[in-house]
Amino acid sequence: MFHVEEESSGGGDGSEIDEEMDGDDSTTSLSRWVFDEKDDYEVNEDYDDDGYDEYNHADMDSDDEDDNVEQRLIRTSPAVDSFDVDALEIPGTHKNDIEESGIGKKLILALQTLGVVFGDIGTSPLYTFSVMFRRSPINDKEDVIGALSLVIYTLILFPLVKYVYFVLWANDDGEGGTFALYSLICRNANVSLIPNQLPSDARISGFGLKVPSPELERSLIIKERLEASMALKKLLLILVLAGTAMVIADAVVTPAMSVMSAIGGLKVGVGVIEQDQVVVISVSFLVILFSVQKYGTSKLGLFLGPALLLWFFCLAGIGIYNLVKYDSSVFKAFNPAYIYFFFKRNSVNAWYALGGCVLCATGSEAMFADLSYFTVHSIQLTFILLVLPCLLLGYLGQAAYLSENFSDAGDAFFSSVPSSLFWPVFVISNIAALIASRAMTTATFTCIKQSIALGCFPRLKIVHTSKKFVGQIYIPVLNWSLLVVCLIVVCSTSNIFAIGNAYGIAELGIMMTTTILVTLIMLLIWQTNIIVVSLFAFVFLAVELIFFSSVCSSVGDGSWIILVFATIMFLIMFVWNYGSKLKYETEVQKKLPMDLLRELGSNLGTIRAPGIGLLYNELAKGVPAIFGHFLTTLPAIHSMVIFVCIKYVPVPSVPQSERFLFRRVCPRSYHLFRCVARYGYKDVRKENHQAFEQILIESLEKFIRKEAQERALESDGDHNDTDSEDDVTLSRVLIAPNGSVYSLGVPLLAEHMDFSNKKPVERRKASIDFGAGPSTALDVEQSLEKELSFIHKAKESGVVYLLGHGDIRATKDSWFLKKLVINYMYAFLRKNCRRGITNLSVPHSHLMQVGMTYMV
């Protein structure tokens, strides 16, 4: 069963965390480049034209004129607009700013980097040569040199060049992974399939665009094509979902491969141990591994970091020992010509060996996916200065040993260990294998949390395991599901060679997805030179496809299980996204018209009882149809109703000062408001209902005061208003920070617009009072105090949470496939997901629920 709540683990380092804790200071309030588009239209659906007079009346119908609005890239300040309200700072919130940490904390984090990020790639010497030479047996010493050369340049090409020098920089404000890349693209181009974006979202600090550059025009062309093509949007989403499915599959095969290869050393140390016994011991280790996952990255990272550091020293030491004792001539493998000789001698077998060679680069994606725990520089320096040299020495040492011991290729690593050090190394290798198993599991938790926030995965229970570092999480349901599938893979295949092939499929699937997304980011966001982009895309995609063709040739040996699992994960994500999109679009279509509310009057056609009703819904604009259901079902409605929309935006974190967006719905006498609470996909939502109510009401009061101040100023200066329509710029231009203007070369539209018939826009007086608008500052103040007093009395009468459960069902004349997806698959997922209101721990006495079904 899927659960939907985020909570903090009890006790120790996982003490409870406030929901708001990481939206506090994680985003700097710097000026940023945004598109200057009038977004007044977004409030038109929430405001009745009799009660909303702050904006030009001519803007009321501007929804249909978006194509004619000028689009300029301007530098903005972090100040919010008249509808943004500064949220309260919650006492006790914790920063997750590693850069401001002390030296001691940085050293601790550096040690954790080894324990969390590099466990996967660090244990690859346990099995890489064994799988390679199972596919392409050694015939002479030159085969060993050729295979070593392949491994060396695979390590250089993928982990070093691709990930360390390119992909790590494609992070989304410190967040890595497939969905972080997708979020970055969604923020810079409107490609999300769920249409809940608001123009005001672009004012969040995280929505920063690049300063104009020579490649900006190309970037805007790509952006326009992406936004205009529904097929490209769907293709991009399918690619992201497929990549995420491979990440989850990788979290299954990584523990299986690492643990079985480490336990397999018993066959070298103890001759009587058989493969079946290795499988049984591996199963026991895997159960223990997934059982301790709940203790979090902080605690386990501090323990496992020194262990992995010792493991890397062992790799380097054993490698140096074998180079000295056996054959130091293997250094000539740094000559890439030996790769050519290897393929020339072995042809098809060499191609098969590529499926084993790619295993040396497994864990590359973990460096990026686990980026939220650390910094780019710490991962880069650790890899270049420690991890890569130790790995190269380890592989060189194994090759030196195998050059004189061809028959030991099946257990290359443990056979090359000096007999006097075998058991200490065996113990350390098993600890390292457990660390490696956690690497992709941790990365998967992060990726799933991102996908949940972006509406692409059923909401799950998320436990925050650290009160100091917000990004460290644990997902119980996913953890145990991964364990079950992992045990199935281990018991059904029973050897590392079949698991290694499945490992390669999952890893290469992630790599290709990352290559495509980073290429798009280079074009759309980085605005990189086209030659660099072409080389990056061509080289890496070509090599990855060659490797992928090798692993796909052996799907029938048992690795098909992982493909089935990845397909199931993909279907879950696709069905959830499709159902959520269809539900949201239906709710938008069914929303209540403002004319109906006007006809009902300020009493809404019923009795207004004292109190505040918080109606939770998913609509960011408009009055949800479920509100009409409440009006017809309940004998009375509260004297004040606030439509609360919890909305995730494609940024890692939303600062507290930019969290809430308040608007007034209908004239003031209706006492209807909208609150859009905006969260990033890394933000934590965990608060009790009393704290949430306090934040909400005080923020509402600040909004009303700010609204009154602005209207008073407008009333005083109304005679100075001028018609600004004559200042419309007819071409798309860029205004740089220094005031320079750059033309984007878009043809002027003067010949298509007739200004001769344009009538001056009349601005009507602001109406603040419940009846006629005040004419003096004194009237404004009295009206303000009256409304604030009304809010206080409503709050004293109590707050009730109105939950509208909207479900969708396919109509009878729908296609069979649509009925299957909506009525069964999506309904099953939605039924097994708790509502997000559980985060607030609202007592049942304060809840009121009404169900509603939409036919689609």
Side-chain angles (χ1 to χ4, degrees):
M1 175 180 289
F2 294 106
H3 301 280
V4 209
E5 63 181 52
E6 294 186 358
E7 67 176 29
S8 301
S9 62
D13 196 28
S15 57
E16 280 203 0
I17 309 170
D18 284 339
E19 169 60 50
E20 311 290 347
M21 64 179 289
D22 96 342
D24 191 10
D25 294 306
S26 57
T27 306
T28 55
S29 299
L30 297 177
S31 299
R32 63 263 184 207
W33 289 85
V34 299
F35 282 103
D36 181 24
E37 293 178 334
K38 294 185 182 295
D39 64 336
D40 297 338
Y41 69 88
E42 66 175 295
V43 296
N44 293 340
E45 295 173 305
D46 288 350
Y47 282 79
D48 176 63
D49 56 5
D50 291 331
Y52 173 62
D53 300 306
E54 183 175 355
Y55 286 82
N56 290 342
H57 184 64
D59 287 336
M60 299 293 291
D61 299 320
S62 62
D63 276 341
D64 300 328
E65 300 175 1
D66 291 343
D67 295 336
N68 296 328
V69 176
E70 67 159 323
Q71 195 174 35
R72 297 184 301 165
L73 202 62
I74 64 172
R75 193 175 179 89
T76 69
S77 67
V80 292
D81 63 16
S82 59
F83 292 97
D84 285 322
V85 178
D86 295 334
L88 298 180
E89 299 289 341
I90 299 179
T93 56
H94 304 277
K95 290 184 179 181
N96 194 23
D97 193 352
I98 297 174
E99 297 298 333
E100 296 183 4
S101 301
I103 296 177
K105 187 171 291 186
K106 287 182 179 179
L107 291 176
I108 292 175
L109 287 172
L111 198 59
Q112 284 183 304
T113 304
L114 280 177
V116 176
V117 177
F118 296 111
D120 195 355
I121 196 170
T123 54
S124 60
L126 287 173
Y127 43 76
T128 298
F129 276 144
S130 298
V131 177
M132 284 187 72
F133 293 127
R134 170 66 178 265
R135 291 167 170 264
S136 179
I138 302 175
N139 296 317
D140 53 42
K141 180 180 176 180
E142 295 301 310
D143 287 341
V144 177
I145 302 297
L148 175 62
S149 187
L150 260 178
V151 169
I152 289 173
Y153 283 97
T154 300
L155 278 174
I156 293 174
L157 185 64
F158 288 119
L160 182 61
V161 177
K162 178 181 175 181
Y163 281 89
V164 170
Y165 286 109
F166 284 98
V167 176
L168 285 180
W169 292 112
N171 67 85
D172 186 13
D173 193 23
E175 290 290 313
T178 305
F179 264 96
L181 296 175
Y182 183 59
S183 170
L184 196 58
I185 294 171
C186 288
R187 189 160 72 249
N188 288 269
N190 186 15
V191 295
S192 175
L193 293 182
I194 298 181
N196 66 343
Q197 300 83 15
L198 294 174
S200 57
D201 291 340
R203 295 195 180 100
I204 297 174
S205 301
F207 273 79
L209 298 184
K210 295 281 287 186
V211 173
S213 66
E215 289 80 14
L216 183 58
E217 185 172 359
R218 182 195 68 203
S219 173
L220 291 176
I221 291 174
I222 295 173
K223 175 180 181 292
E224 290 171 352
R225 290 182 179 176
L226 276 175
E227 293 177 343
S229 173
M230 181 58 68
L232 288 178
K233 290 182 181 180
K234 292 180 178 179
L235 184 63
L236 180 62
L237 178 65
I238 289 173
L239 175 68
V240 171
L241 296 184
T244 305
M246 286 298 182
V247 170
I248 302 173
D250 202 0
V252 170
V253 292
T254 297
M257 188 68 178
S258 300
V259 172
M260 281 196 68
S261 59
I263 300 298
L266 287 174
K267 294 190 294 182
V268 177
V270 183
V272 296
I273 295 293
E274 300 295 335
Q275 184 63 29
D276 290 342
Q277 294 169 305
V278 170
V279 172
V280 173
I281 298 172
S282 298
V283 167
S284 303
F285 270 65
L286 289 170
V287 172
I288 295 173
L289 169 70
F290 282 93
S291 298
V292 301
Q293 189 76 40
K294 62 183 179 181
Y295 293 109
T297 303
S298 291
K299 293 180 178 179
L300 293 182
L302 284 175
F303 169 73
L304 300 178
L308 201 62
L309 181 63
L310 183 59
W311 166 250
F312 280 113
F313 287 158
C314 284
L315 282 180
I318 294 171
I320 294 172
Y321 170 83
N322 287 324
L323 285 170
V324 173
K325 182 177 180 179
Y326 294 101
D327 188 2
S328 60
S329 65
V330 293
F331 277 103
K332 60 185 179 182
F334 281 96
N335 182 353
Y338 283 94
I339 298 177
Y340 168 76
F341 299 145
F342 181 67
F343 275 90
K344 184 177 181 181
R345 284 191 308 273
N346 297 280
S347 60
V348 176
N349 284 341
W351 175 64
Y352 283 132
L354 290 176
C357 179
V358 74
L359 298 181
C360 73
T362 56
S364 300
E365 185 67 24
M367 287 194 294
F368 182 52
D370 285 326
L371 183 60
S372 61
Y373 297 88
F374 310 102
T375 63
V376 172
H377 288 295
S378 65
I379 293 178
Q380 288 177 326
L381 291 175
T382 305
F383 181 79
I384 295 172
L385 300 180
L386 175 64
V387 176
L388 183 59
C390 291
L391 287 175
L392 290 176
L393 286 173
Y395 284 116
L396 286 167
Q398 286 188 52
Y401 174 82
L402 291 176
S403 63
E404 297 184 8
N405 300 275
F406 296 168
S407 60
D408 291 336
D411 291 294
F413 175 77
F414 286 106
S415 299
S416 67
V417 176
S419 57
S420 60
L421 297 177
F422 178 83
W423 290 111
V425 171
F426 174 79
V427 173
I428 296 172
S429 67
N430 276 271
I431 295 175
L434 295 177
I435 299 171
S437 302
R438 296 188 69 258
M440 281 309 299
T441 305
T442 304
T444 302
F445 290 160
T446 302
C447 187
I448 292 301
K449 186 178 188 300
Q450 295 170 354
S451 63
I452 290 172
L454 295 177
C456 295
F457 202 91
R459 296 184 293 264
L460 307 177
K461 177 181 178 181
I462 299 175
V463 178
H464 298 270
T465 59
S466 174
K467 62 182 179 181
K468 296 179 180 178
F469 305 105
V470 178
Q472 300 180 4
I473 61 174
Y474 165 68
I475 304 178
V477 174
L478 184 62
N479 183 68
W480 299 118
S481 300
L482 293 177
L483 172 61
V484 171
V485 180
C486 184
L487 296 181
I488 293 174
V489 171
V490 169
C491 295
S492 60
T493 56
S494 301
N495 65 81
I496 64 170
F497 307 111
I499 297 176
N501 196 68
Y503 203 177
I505 291 175
E507 193 72 23
L508 285 166
I510 303 169
M511 285 183 175
M512 289 188 290
T513 301
T514 300
T515 300
I516 295 173
L517 293 178
V518 172
T519 300
L520 187 56
I521 287 174
M522 285 181 169
L523 292 170
L524 181 65
I525 304 170
W526 291 355
Q527 300 154 21
T528 310
N529 185 282
I530 191 65
I531 297 177
V532 176
V533 177
S534 301
L535 286 175
F536 176 86
F538 175 77
V539 171
F540 287 109
L541 270 181
V543 175
E544 287 161 358
L545 284 172
I546 294 173
F547 276 102
F548 193 68
S549 65
S550 175
V551 295
C552 286
S553 64
S554 303
V555 170
D557 63 1
S559 54
W560 58 269
I561 297 176
I562 210 64
L563 285 178
V564 172
F565 176 69
T567 302
I568 293 173
M569 290 294 102
F570 173 82
L571 287 176
I572 288 175
M573 290 184 287
F574 183 81
V575 168
W576 182 261
N577 182 267
Y578 173 72
S580 300
K581 172 179 175 290
L582 201 59
K583 178 176 177 292
Y584 187 88
E585 291 176 342
T586 304
E587 289 182 338
V588 170
Q589 295 172 0
K590 302 291 185 181
K591 63 186 178 183
L592 296 181
M594 299 304 298
D595 290 340
L596 175 61
L597 295 181
R598 270 200 304 269
E599 292 174 4
L600 292 176
S602 60
N603 287 330
L604 299 174
T606 184
I607 301 172
R608 302 297 292 268
I612 297 177
L614 302 182
L615 196 154
Y616 276 75
N617 68 103
E618 297 180 2
L619 286 185
K621 296 191 300 183
V623 179
I626 198 72
F627 182 58
H629 207 38
F630 273 107
L631 293 177
T632 57
T633 304
L634 303 178
I637 199 70
H638 299 82
S639 58
M640 176 177 291
V641 177
I642 302 176
F643 301 106
V644 181
C645 173
I646 304 296
K647 180 173 179 286
Y648 283 93
V649 290
V651 295
S653 182
V654 178
Q656 286 283 24
S657 61
E658 304 172 20
R659 174 82 69 206
F660 295 104
L661 185 69
F662 269 91
R663 296 183 183 138
R664 190 186 295 275
V665 182
C666 296
R668 312 182 134 56
S669 57
Y670 282 64
H671 303 299
L672 297 179
F673 296 90
R674 172 175 304 285
C675 172
V676 180
R678 301 177 293 188
Y679 292 86
Y681 55 77
K682 195 178 75 171
D683 284 336
V684 185
R685 289 206 305 115
K686 179 67 181 178
E687 66 255 295
N688 58 50
H689 68 98
Q690 292 97 339
F692 182 79
E693 293 167 11
Q694 183 71 15
I695 295 171
L696 195 68
I697 299 303
E698 294 195 22
S699 298
L700 176 60
E701 292 176 359
K702 295 184 70 175
F703 160 72
I704 292 174
R705 287 192 176 95
K706 182 178 293 186
E707 179 190 53
Q709 292 172 0
E710 293 185 351
R711 293 191 177 187
L713 291 173
E714 181 181 324
S715 178
D716 291 341
D718 187 61
H719 62 279
N720 294 324
D721 288 343
T722 58
D723 184 12
S724 60
E725 296 295 328
D726 294 334
D727 297 330
V728 174
T729 304
L730 298 178
S731 65
R732 296 172 63 190
V733 298
L734 296 175
I735 304 176
N738 60 5
S740 302
V741 178
Y742 301 88
S743 173
L744 296 183
V746 179
L748 295 179
L749 304 177
E751 62 270 24
H752 302 293
M753 300 179 63
D754 182 10
F755 287 86
S756 59
N757 296 326
K758 183 179 294 182
K759 297 180 180 180
V761 179
E762 297 182 358
R763 299 177 63 90
R764 298 181 297 166
K765 301 293 185 196
S767 175
I768 294 183
D769 204 353
F770 301 102
S775 58
T776 66
L778 180 60
D779 293 335
V780 171
E781 184 65 25
Q782 292 176 348
S783 175
L784 173 62
E785 293 302 324
K786 184 177 180 181
E787 187 163 14
L788 292 178
S789 175
F790 184 88
I791 294 175
H792 293 157
K793 290 180 180 179
K795 175 67 169 62
E796 292 172 358
S797 299
V799 177
V800 176
Y801 292 77
L802 308 175
L803 305 184
H805 298 309
D807 293 318
I808 56 174
R809 299 279 296 177
T811 56
K812 292 183 179 180
D813 57 347
S814 299
W815 290 90
F816 170 77
L817 186 59
K818 183 177 181 179
K819 290 181 179 179
L820 177 65
V821 171
I822 297 300
N823 295 350
Y824 297 97
M825 298 173 69
Y826 179 71
F828 173 79
L829 294 176
R830 188 168 176 82
K831 182 180 179 180
N832 287 278
C833 285
R834 297 182 195 171
R835 310 297 177 182
I837 191 67
T838 55
N839 288 329
L840 298 178
S841 304
V842 180
H844 290 289
S845 59
H846 290 200
L847 285 176
M848 191 174 296
Q849 305 184 47
V850 172
M852 189 170 185
T853 300
Y854 302 104
M855 303 303 294
V856 296

